[in-house]
């Protein structure tokens, strides 16, 4: 879940709904899947939502969603962009791990403290989510006034690259519609000239000591390596670039001004008076940073900013950014009805799409799948276009509304296919189901009538859980308190405090083969009568990597340690304490695909003044009789138990456990002042 | 008429004309007064006897009283010593008299203070003179002491007794004395003849085999008295909740799944279309294993299809993630963070072979999360997982299924809040109103599995699924406030012993 701090007054202003009270806004937000979690010290509302709609990571984005929800806005809107004045040159020297750059210039932002705070929050939240803590994508926003691109006069070049964005967007989107995304970040416009961009910044890799700049929150010139070692922000993000051969840096005419993904320079720092901004992003994936950039551009456009394209020049290609192209997804009417479980008129479906901030139009039904995605010359599928389209299929549709519930009986609109346009700030729409989800939200999922599916199946328990239940009932009948202990345990509890030695402590790392002999097919090795093999419980454990707490460092290899711990924690409670557990234990086993043999184990302890081997055996024998298996208890050695009062549990000829009186040393170790008799064996033995 | 032995003894010893105390009856019958009292009341209840109660005081000599009873009261000894020194004529030195009396210690003070009070003489300026009218043989206190010693204190004046009690020479104990007298009914019954019947405390095997029980009169118990506490064995309260959930789901046609707790990330995350750089896949959220570190076998073709879904997406204009994907990461071993890994093994055909719709499956099994242990979070807890596989499932079918399920637990009016999961779309968080507190609480997460999940698994129809923490349900049904009471090694046995049964 992600949390964004938002001022309700600001939200009212941006949505144009001054009449909405706080409570009303909260209810409207809940309907969007956004929960009000509380307030910040500054009185901002903390809004929490699932991390799919990252375009909502700012008050501007949330306001946009609300305006669609209120019906104030419909369909797709794309900010117009001006022609590029700036060129981002990506040098050969950039670190191979971080080859991609993108960005935009935004002029005339109505900047103030509120807008600046919101922008900084959006930047941070994008870093934390899509940017994967700046690894995958990092944003730098600079005051354009402080940058120097070129000595040359900034004369717009009328002849070469001039494109009217309102038309070019459409052709761009159509051009891209059928393209599968190329992970290399290639763009259909790669080879279009960006022409007039005379001012240049350069993304390049340098040696860590090769240059210096004054970073944010510092007064002195530092080299990149100095930032990483001496600056608090530098130290925080140093791990990202630790393995880079060269440090990623961005230069303008004056010099080094940004050290992505670590920190910006102080020279270009934003303040509440900055109106013209230069945005640069670098990262490990072109698509990701382009989406992050689009979300930023939409937020700034909502603040009056005029977006200006930039030309991104790679050594082998040139891109025009920001990428505000519209993606299209094909969704069939059938699928919409089937997933939502309701009948819809096609115009209703289109209406729902527009209320979700999407555009939808009926694709030509004749067009074949693969190529059909391109609908040439239609331009942006705006509201006007879809109004024309939506009348076409409705003639055949009158009967459908009366059809009521039936969704699967051949729909007359069944062959209708929509081409749905996805705005560039949406990074979460991967396929048709994501579009249908949007339509469902606009429809109101809670307005759907639940129905029990007309699907007949036969239920039943797994055999393992049936045998477990049967053993549990028997043990409870014999007087045991049934327990449910953690499967995670400390090394010390599992071995040392029971008088055992961990196989990892003695044999070094590679004892898995040894543990392998203890799997279910060869249980004779476990606690056998001769006591020559591993004592029961002393398997090599599954071990957690970098556990927070050694208390939960391994998966238990037997259950008696858990029961002893419960006795230890309950010495102030009334005796007798007769406990039993049927639960999971596991030991490493190279013969298993997972490398781990998991099994259910049956363990019981009797803590009472007259606890004895004989009473324990009497219980065990009762259990074995109930399952019609033969029990033998040949003497064995086991460090947890008193010598001469411990036996192997041999069931139907297979040694599968241990029974005895717990050794005084183990009792004292667990602060117990009553004798304890115990047994444990593998559940499989009773099956 | 038959009466128990003790009652027979009482009724025979009682008289219709004279009241007899229990003590007298005890003397006559040689039985314990307690037995006789009980029998007397039983007879009174039958209307055969009247029992009269009156308060009764008895006195006993204290140690000091017994000494004085034997040796004489100190003041009298002082008087006699004074008389021997002829103090009736002239006052005699006090020291001389005391010496002659053989009194010492506290007894001297006692003698002196009572000497004057009781008019045995006067003490003036260290000299002592006796009164001519004094008569130690008529001393009421001395007589009273002797009477108590002789157990015949009935006629002693009350104020004398009070005085002696005050002097600490006597102890007084109050009791109720009961006296019995035959009623007319009792006389009649006696005249008709009464036989002894044994009062039976315990029914014995001998009584049963001999038929003796037919004549037995079973002594009535105080059936309202508290009995000793029994704990007995019982099923863990959380297990009871799990069993209840299992019953409900089996009843709804669900079949139970089973599978590994430690599994490859492939089954836990990759099949679920969780991008490999998803924040929840870092070890901060789930337990990665250092040993065993890697799974040995994964189905190659499935790995290929899952990889393609991640990289390229599914469907004609589906899209993958713009995230790296390697099989190495997929092979890494974790403790499962959800039981959806089981669903993946079943849906892929890996667990029980290819499945044909319709199917319903569930599990109520443990999952592991790298969290901080506190009153509402555990490192391991039970997840209820269920899914339905069928052609043309809609969100309405999903809503209908869950509405039905939760109604079994008294939770009606479920709300479906649209939600996001990487593996389902549409997705819903389920909210319900707590049956007692009225609070709106999250009770589950659900959705239709994405095409990107199902197609690589080879499933062409729809699958809807949901998950829920069992402990959350149990906290609602048991009222437990600390989840650690419900589950785990930190459990308080008294909590388990006192928990209300769930069924």
């Amino acid at each position: 879940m992600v949390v964004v701090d938002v001022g309700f007054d600001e939200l009212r202003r941006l949505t144009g709904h001054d009449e909405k009270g706080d409570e009303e806004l909260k209810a409207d937000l809940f309907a969007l899947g956004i929960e009000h979690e509380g307030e910040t010290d500054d009185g901002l509302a903390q809004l929490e939502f699932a991390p799919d709609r990252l375009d909502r990571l700012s008050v501007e984005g949330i306001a946009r969603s609300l305006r669609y929800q209120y019906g104030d806005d419909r369909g797709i809107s794309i900010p117009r962009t001006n022609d590029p004045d700036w060129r981002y040159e990506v040098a050969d020297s950039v670190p191979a791990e971080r080859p991609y750059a993108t960005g935009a210039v935004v002029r005339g932002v109505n900047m103030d403290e509120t807008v600046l705070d919101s922008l900084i929050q959006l930047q941070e939240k994008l870093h934390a989510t899509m940017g994967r803590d700046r690894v995958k994508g990092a944003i730098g926003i600079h005051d354009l006034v402080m940058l120097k691109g070129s000595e040359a006069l900034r004369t717009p070049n009328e002849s070469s690259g001039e494109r009217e964005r309102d038309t070019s967007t459409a052709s761009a989107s159509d051009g891209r519609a059928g393209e599968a995304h190329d992970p290399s970040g290639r763009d259909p416009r790669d080879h279009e000239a960006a022409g007039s961009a005379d001012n240049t910044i350069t993304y390049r890799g340098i040696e860590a000591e090769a240059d210096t700049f004054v970073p944010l929150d510092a007064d002195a010139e530092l080299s990149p390596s100095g930032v990483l070692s001496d600056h608090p922000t530098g130290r925080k993000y140093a791990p990202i670039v630790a393995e880079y051969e060269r440090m990623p840096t961005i230069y303008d005419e004056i010099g080094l001004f940004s050290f992505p993904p670590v920190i910006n320079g102080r020279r270009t720092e934003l303040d509440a008076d900055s109106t013209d901004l230069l945005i640069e992003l670098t990262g490990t994936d072109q698509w990701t940073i382009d989406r992050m950039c689009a979300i930023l551009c939409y937020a700034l456009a909502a603040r009056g900013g005029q977006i200006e394209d930039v030309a991104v020049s790679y050594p082998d290609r040139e891109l025009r950014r920001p990428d505000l192209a519209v993606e299209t997804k094909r969704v069939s009417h059938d699928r919409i009805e089937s997933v939502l479980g309701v009948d819809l008129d096609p115009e209703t479906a289109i209406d729902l799409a527009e209320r979700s901030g999407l555009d939808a139009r009926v694709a030509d039904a004749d067009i074949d799948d693969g190529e059909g995605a391109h609908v040439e010359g239609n331009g942006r599928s705006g509201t006007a276009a879809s109004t024309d389209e939506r009348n076409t299929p409705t003639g055949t549709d009158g009967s459908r509304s009366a059809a009521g519930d039936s969704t699967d009986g051949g729909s007359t609109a069944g062959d209708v296919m929509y081409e749905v346009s996805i705005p560039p700030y949406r990074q979460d729409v991967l396929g048709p189901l994501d579009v249908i989800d949007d339509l469902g939200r606009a429809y109101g999922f809670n307005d759907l009538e639940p129905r029990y599916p007309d699907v007949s199946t036969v239920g039943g328990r797994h055999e393992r859980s049936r045998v477990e239940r049967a053993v549990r009932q028997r043990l409870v009948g014999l007087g045991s308190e049934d327990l449910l202990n953690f499967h995670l345990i400390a090394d010390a509890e599992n071995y040392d405090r029971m008088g055992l030695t961990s196989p990892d402590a003695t044999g070094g790392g590679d004892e898995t083969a040894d543990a392998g002999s203890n799997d279910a097919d060869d249980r004779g090795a476990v606690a056998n009568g001769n006591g020559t093999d591993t004592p029961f419980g002393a398997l090599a454990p599954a071990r957690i990597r970098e556990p927070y707490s050694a208390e939960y460092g391994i998966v238990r290899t037997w259950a008696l340690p858990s029961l002893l711990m419960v006795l230890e924690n309950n010495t102030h409670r009334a005796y007798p304490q007769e406990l039993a557990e049927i639960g999971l234990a596991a030991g490493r086993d190279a013969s298993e695909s997972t490398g781990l043999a998991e099994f259910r184990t049956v363990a019981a302890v009797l803590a009472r003044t007259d606890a004895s081997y004989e009473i324990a055996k009497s219980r065990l024998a009762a259990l074995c009789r109930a399952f019609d298996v033969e029990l033998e208890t040949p003497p064995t050695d086991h460090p947890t138990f008193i010598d001469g009062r411990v036996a192997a549990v041999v069931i139907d000829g297979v040694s599968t456990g241990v029974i005895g009186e717990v050794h005084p040393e183990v009792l004292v170790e667990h602060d117990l002042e009553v004798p304890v008799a115990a047994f444990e064996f593998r559940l499989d033995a009773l099956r | 008429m038959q009466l128990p032995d003790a009652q027979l003894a009482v009724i025979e010893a009682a008289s219709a004309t004279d009241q007899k105390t229990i003590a007298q009856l005890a003397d006559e019958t040689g039985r314990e007064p307690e037995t006789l009292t009980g029998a007397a009341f039983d007879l009174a209840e039958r209307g055969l006897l009247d029992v009269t109660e009156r308060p009764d005081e008895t006195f006993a000599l204290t140690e000091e009283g017994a000494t004085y009873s034997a040796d004489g009261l100190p003041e009298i000894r002082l008087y006699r010593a004074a008389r021997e020194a002829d103090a009736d004529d002239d006052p005699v030195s006090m020291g001389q008299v005391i010496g002659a009396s053989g009194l010492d210690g506290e007894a001297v003070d006692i003698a002196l203070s009572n000497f004057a009070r009781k008019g045995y003489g006067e003490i003036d300026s260290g000299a002592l003179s006796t009164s001519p009218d004094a008569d130690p043989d008529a001393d009421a206190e001395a007589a009273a002491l002797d009477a108590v010693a002789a157990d015949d204190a009935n006629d002693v004046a009350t104020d004398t007794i009070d005085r002696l009690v005050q002097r600490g020479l006597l102890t007084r104990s109050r009791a109720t004395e009961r006296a019995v007298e035959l009623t007319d009914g009792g006389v009649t019954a006696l005249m008709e003849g009464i036989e002894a019947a044994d009062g039976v405390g315990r029914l014995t095997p001998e009584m049963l085999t001999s038929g003796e029980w037919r004549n037995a009169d079973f002594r009535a118990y105080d059936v309202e008295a508290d009995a000793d506490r029994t704990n007995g064995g019982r099923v863990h309260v959380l297990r009871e909740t799990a069993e209840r959930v299992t019953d409900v789901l089996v009843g709804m046609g669900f079949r139970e799944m089973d599978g590994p707790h430690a599994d490859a990330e492939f089954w836990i995350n990759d099949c679920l279309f969780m991008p490999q750089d998803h924040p929840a896949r870092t070890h901060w959220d789930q337990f990665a294993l250092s040993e065993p570190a890697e799974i040995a076998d994964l189905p190659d073709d499935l790995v290929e299809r899952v990889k393609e879904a991640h990289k390229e997406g599914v469907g004609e204009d589906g899209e993958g993630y713009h995230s790296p994907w390697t099989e190495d990461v997929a092979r890494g071993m974790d403790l499962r963070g959800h039981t959806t890994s089981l669903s993946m093994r079943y849906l892929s055909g890996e667990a029980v072979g290819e499945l044909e719709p319709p199917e319903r499956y569930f599990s109520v099994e443990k999952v592991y999360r790298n969290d901080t242990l506190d009153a509402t979070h555990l490192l391991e807890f039970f997840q209820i997982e269920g899914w339905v596989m069928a052609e043309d499932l809609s969100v309405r079918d999903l809503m209908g299924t869950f509405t039905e399920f939760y109604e079994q637990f008294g939770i009606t009016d479920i709300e479906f809040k649209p939600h996001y999961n990487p593996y389902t779309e549409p997705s819903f968080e389920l909210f319900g109103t707590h049956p007692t507190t009225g609070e709106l609480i999250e009770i589950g997460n659900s959705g239709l599995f994405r095409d990107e999940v199902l197609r690589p698994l080879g499933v062409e129809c729809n699958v809807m699924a949901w998950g829920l923490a069992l402990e959350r349900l149990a906290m609602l049904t048991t009222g437990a406030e600390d989840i650690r009471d419900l589950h785990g090694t930190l459990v308080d046995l008294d909590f388990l012993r006192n928990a209300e049964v769930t069924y």
Side-chain angles (χ1 to χ4, degrees), chain A residues 155-446:
Chain A
T155 47
N157 187 336
E158 301 289 332
S159 61
S160 67
E162 182 75 0
R163 299 189 303 174
E164 284 302 321
R165 190 58 180 197
D166 52 346
T167 55
S168 66
T169 308
S171 57
S173 80
D174 290 338
R176 287 175 52 74
E179 300 267 342
H181 261 292
D182 181 341
S184 75
R186 283 180 189 277
D187 186 278
R189 292 172 297 160
D190 278 1
H191 303 291
E192 289 174 25
S196 66
D198 293 329
N199 294 301
T200 302
I201 59 170
T202 311
Y203 174 37
R204 62 171 65 125
I206 65 167
E207 297 298 321
E209 302 282 0
D211 201 351
T212 61
F213 71 117
V214 182
L216 290 175
D217 308 316
D219 298 318
E221 296 265 338
L222 286 171
S223 66
S225 82
V227 169
L228 298 181
S229 58
D230 298 340
H231 194 286
T233 311
R235 281 195 292 271
K236 185 172 173 193
Y237 294 101
I240 302 176
V241 296
E243 302 297 317
Y244 288 12
E245 239 173 74
R246 290 178 300 278
M247 292 298 111
T249 52
I250 304 179
Y251 282 76
D252 68 350
E253 194 73 21
I254 299 168
L256 172 54
F257 70 93
S258 184
F259 174 22
V262 181
I263 198 163
N264 292 350
R266 214 174 72 170
R267 163 159 61 96
T268 60
E269 183 176 4
L270 290 189
D271 60 32
D273 298 322
S274 310
T275 57
D276 294 357
L277 316 179
L278 180 137
I279 302 172
E280 43 86 2
L281 295 96
T282 61
T284 58
D285 177 68
Q286 184 75 47
W287 181 90
T288 303
I289 58 177
D290 281 338
R291 294 279 77 69
M292 292 167 77
C293 186
I295 290 171
L296 284 166
C297 288
Y298 267 83
L300 288 167
R303 297 296 190 172
Q306 170 62 50
I307 314 295
E308 182 178 297
D309 282 353
V310 299
V312 180
S313 301
Y314 288 99
D316 58 344
R317 66 191 188 282
E318 182 152 309
L319 309 178
R320 187 148 163 169
R321 288 295 183 258
D323 180 3
L324 301 181
V326 172
E327 296 271 349
T328 58
K329 300 287 180 196
R330 285 163 62 87
V331 184
S332 77
H333 189 86
D334 252 3
R335 191 93 196 263
I336 297 170
E337 289 188 331
S338 157
V339 169
L340 299 183
V342 290
D343 293 340
L344 297 171
D345 296 333
E347 65 245 51
T348 307
I350 289 170
D351 176 60
L352 292 173
E354 288 173 2
R355 279 162 52 198
S356 312
L358 311 173
D359 277 343
R361 52 181 290 278
V362 176
D364 190 337
D366 293 336
I367 293 178
D368 187 312
D369 276 351
E371 317 244 335
H374 305 267
V375 180
E376 301 296 337
N378 245 324
R380 230 179 86 214
S381 48
T383 329
S386 35
T387 309
D388 295 334
E389 300 288 350
R390 77 175 60 147
N391 289 326
T392 0
T394 42
T396 58
D397 214 60
S399 57
R400 289 194 45 74
S401 318
D405 256 14
S406 78
T407 59
D408 42 5
S411 162
T412 47
D415 51 354
V416 172
M417 180 71 76
Y418 301 101
E419 200 161 82
V420 181
S421 306
I422 316 296
Y425 56 80
R426 293 289 298 274
Q427 90 301 339
D428 60 313
V429 181
L430 303 182
L433 278 173
D434 300 299
V435 172
I436 296 171
D437 181 54
D438 272 18
L439 305 192
R441 288 178 193 234
Y443 184 94
F445 279 121
N446 273 303

Side-chain angles (χ1 to χ4, degrees), chain B residues 97-121:
Chain B
V97 178
I98 288 170
S101 72
L103 294 166
D104 57 6
E106 272 189 4
V108 175
D109 289 337
I110 294 169
L112 291 174
S113 63
N114 285 302
F115 182 78
R117 175 177 65 84
K118 289 163 77 171
Y120 281 110

Side-chain angles (χ1 to χ4, degrees), chain A residues 35 434 449 464-465 487, chain B residues 256 258 380 396 417 450:
Chain A
E35 267 182 275
D434 300 299
E449 187 69 30
R464 195 217 80 231
S465 97
H487 298 160
Chain B
E256 192 174 16
D258 188 40
E380 39 188 289
R396 291 179 56 201
K417 185 185 142 198
R450 296 187 68 98

Side-chain angles (χ1 to χ4, degrees), chain B residues 46-285:
Chain B
R46 290 173 184 253
L48 303 177
L49 208 65
D50 279 334
V51 178
T52 318
E53 298 192 335
R54 59 172 171 261
D56 180 36
E57 289 191 326
T58 54
F59 305 98
L61 295 176
T62 63
E63 201 178 325
E64 188 183 358
T67 311
Y68 298 163
S69 174
D71 301 347
L73 288 164
E75 60 270 25
I76 294 178
R77 288 170 62 187
L78 186 69
Y79 173 78
R80 292 194 197 284
R83 283 292 295 235
E84 298 220 342
D86 293 331
D88 50 340
D89 299 333
D90 294 303
V92 184
S93 135
M94 210 162 64
Q96 184 194 338
V97 178
I98 288 170
S101 72
L103 294 166
D104 57 6
E106 272 189 4
V108 175
D109 289 337
I110 294 169
L112 291 174
S113 63
N114 285 302
F115 182 78
R117 175 177 65 84
K118 289 163 77 171
Y120 281 110
E122 287 174 4
I123 299 163
D124 192 21
S125 313
L128 192 145
S129 61
T130 58
S131 159
D133 303 332
D135 179 6
D137 295 330
D139 189 300
E141 291 179 18
L145 277 185
D146 290 343
V148 172
D151 200 11
D152 186 21
N154 288 350
D155 300 327
V156 178
T158 318
D159 56 344
T160 309
I161 294 282
D162 289 345
R163 170 80 61 191
L164 289 175
V165 170
Q166 200 183 336
R167 285 184 68 175
L169 305 183
L170 288 185
T171 56
R172 185 203 311 261
S173 50
R174 291 193 166 92
T176 302
E177 187 187 67
R178 297 186 177 87
V180 301
E181 195 172 12
L182 284 176
T183 62
D184 291 346
V187 173
T188 310
L190 268 177
M191 286 166 55
E192 287 171 352
I194 301 175
E195 289 170 30
D198 283 341
V200 173
R202 193 179 292 266
L203 183 61
T204 61
E206 290 75 21
M207 290 168 71
L208 287 168
T209 50
S210 67
E212 202 185 324
W213 61 271
R214 291 179 199 281
N215 301 318
D217 183 70
F218 294 99
R219 197 170 71 241
Y221 296 146
D222 178 359
V223 292
E224 287 177 306
D226 287 337
D228 284 344
R229 189 188 164 104
T230 305
N231 288 312
R234 58 174 292 179
V235 172
H236 193 285
V237 61
L238 187 60
R239 178 69 67 186
E240 281 177 343
T241 310
E243 289 290 317
R244 165 101 177 91
V245 169
T246 301
D247 282 349
V248 167
L249 287 170
V250 169
M252 290 172 72
F254 286 79
R255 214 182 276 273
E256 192 174 16
M257 300 185 285
D258 188 40
H261 290 236
D263 209 345
E265 282 209 49
F266 180 74
W267 296 110
I268 302 173
N269 295 321
D270 292 292
C271 284
L272 281 170
F273 198 53
M274 303 266 279
Q276 290 196 339
D277 63 353
H278 193 284
R281 290 187 65 164
T282 66
H283 85 276
W284 302 103
D285 282 289

